[in-house]
């Protein structure tokens, strides 16, 4: 699958809830995992491959071999705590990295590929990646999580680079 690059307008749209976990969805998820691995990313949301559905895949940071991936279908952030600065990049804004603000800890609930509801209570990288990918489902890219001044400078830079 091709990764949509900023300023592709699909990246700024909100995604719809998933009603059925059918073969089409499983195929999409498998393709997303392959695309993310090829791009050496740690997370990928459906809008980034042009599909406006509420699903993302990401690395499972509890597995040190980095071989395991989590599938998050219709995720909901239930609770957040604290605030941290995190240096982020995005496969849809290649080559640009900067600091943004995120919640330190989150509680997030999602369906897995078998339709089973799971709750994750996380901090560190897992929490950051969950929040970054979750934002994609609402059409929010990481510069939105910067301070206003920083965001203006960053957006000018990327608007020059990507047309
Ligand atoms: Ni991203």
């Amino acid at each position: 699958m091709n990764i949509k690059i900023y300023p592709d307008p699909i990246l700024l749209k909100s995604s719809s809830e998933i009603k059925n976990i059918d073969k089409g969805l499983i195929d999409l998820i498998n393709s997303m995992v392959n695309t993310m691995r090829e791009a050496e990313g740690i997370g990928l949301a459906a809008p980034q491959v042009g599909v406006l559905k509420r699903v993302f895949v990401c690395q499972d940071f509890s597995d040190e071999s980095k071989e395991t991936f989590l599938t998050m279908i219709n995720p909901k952030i239930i609770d957040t705590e604290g605030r941290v600065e995190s240096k982020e990049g995005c496969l849809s804004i290649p080559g640009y990295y900067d600091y943004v603000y995120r919640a330190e800890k989150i509680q997030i609930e999602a369906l897995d590929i078998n339709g089973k509801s799971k709750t994750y209570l996380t901090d560190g990288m897992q929490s950051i990646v969950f929040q970054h990918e979750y934002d994609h489902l609402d059409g929010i890219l990481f510069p939105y999580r910067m301070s206003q001044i920083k965001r203006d400078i960053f957006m000018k830079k990327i608007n020059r680079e990507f047309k």
Side-chain angles (χ1 to χ4, degrees):
M1 301 183 104
N2 284 328
I3 296 176
K4 304 287 178 187
I5 304 296
Y6 178 87
D8 192 313
I10 204 158
L11 294 170
L12 305 179
K13 291 190 175 147
S14 279
S15 292
S16 316
E17 291 272 313
I18 289 164
K19 302 225 168 63
N20 295 304
I21 300 177
D22 53 17
K23 181 164 184 307
L25 184 71
I26 305 234
D27 288 348
L28 169 69
I29 289 164
N30 288 332
S31 303
M32 283 170 60
V33 169
N34 290 335
T35 304
M36 176 178 71
R37 291 177 111 149
E38 279 164 23
E40 296 182 356
I42 54 176
L44 186 71
Q48 292 182 278
V49 290
V51 179
L52 290 171
K53 288 184 178 171
R54 300 191 74 84
V55 58
F56 67 77
V57 294
C58 67
Q59 198 180 308
D60 179 352
F61 288 84
S62 68
D63 175 16
E64 292 193 358
S65 74
K66 301 182 176 175
E67 297 286 308
T68 317
F69 298 94
L70 297 172
T71 300
M72 307 288 278
I73 299 167
N74 295 339
K76 282 184 184 64
I77 293 177
I78 297 162
D79 201 9
T80 65
E81 195 186 307
R83 194 161 106 125
V84 286
E85 262 197 299
S86 95
K87 192 172 191 181
E88 296 183 16
C90 180
L91 292 174
S92 295
I93 312 177
Y96 285 81
Y97 302 85
D98 215 329
Y99 286 92
V100 303
Y101 293 104
R102 296 286 181 194
E104 183 182 5
K105 297 179 188 175
I106 65 162
Q107 187 179 353
I108 186 170
E109 187 183 274
L111 299 177
D112 69 8
I113 203 155
N114 301 310
K116 201 174 156 204
S117 178
K118 289 194 172 172
T119 302
Y120 305 82
L121 190 60
T122 61
D123 58 8
M125 276 300 283
Q126 190 75 72
S127 166
I128 300 291
V129 173
F130 278 158
Q131 291 174 72
H132 178 116
E133 300 311 325
Y134 181 92
D135 270 354
H136 275 296
L137 306 182
D138 291 326
I140 296 171
L141 301 175
F142 78 94
Y144 185 81
R145 300 297 182 188
M146 294 173 184
S147 66
Q148 175 87 55
I149 298 171
K150 227 173 144 172
R151 178 163 71 243
D152 290 348
I153 298 167
F154 188 86
M155 294 311 285
K156 262 185 209 154
K157 262 196 293 191
I158 66 170
N159 284 329
R160 263 201 304 267
E161 169 84 25
F162 305 101
K163 283 182 179 135

